[in-house]
Amino acid sequence: MELTPTQAYRLGHLYHASIRQLVLSTYADEQTLDLAALMIWEQRLSVQGVPVPRRHRPTRFVALEISS
């Protein structure tokens, strides 16, 4: 499947966010991109059968060991 220039541009941003392990909102802010548009393109590319990289989702909970 050959990508259009717009698809390649958006996919490139999604890959850079994933490789840099940045949350999509942080990446969008850093690159001055519209987060909503980036998320729409992520979904659109996926529906079109284009392999989209997984989003980075930081761990929200940390395991603690409690000693008495």
Side-chain angles (χ1 to χ4, degrees), residues 1-15 37-53:
M1 171 183 209
E2 191 166 324
L3 299 176
T4 67
T6 301
Q7 288 172 319
Y9 173 78
R10 298 296 183 178
L11 188 60
H13 279 295
L14 294 170
Y15 271 105
L38 195 55
M39 293 174 72
I40 288 169
W41 270 101
E42 178 183 45
Q43 183 178 14
R44 185 179 293 167
L45 290 168
S46 182
V47 168
Q48 293 171 349
V50 176
V52 176

Side-chain angles (χ1 to χ4, degrees), residues 12-59:
H13 279 295
L14 294 170
Y15 271 105
H16 282 138
S18 178
I19 289 169
R20 294 181 58 205
Q21 295 186 346
L22 291 175
V23 177
L24 209 50
S25 60
T26 302
Y27 180 81
D29 285 344
E30 183 181 281
Q31 299 296 315
T32 61
L33 298 171
D34 180 31
L35 175 61
L38 195 55
M39 293 174 72
I40 288 169
W41 270 101
E42 178 183 45
Q43 183 178 14
R44 185 179 293 167
L45 290 168
S46 182
V47 168
Q48 293 171 349
V50 176
V52 176
R54 291 179 54 128
R55 278 195 213 174
H56 174 69
R57 289 188 162 81
T59 305

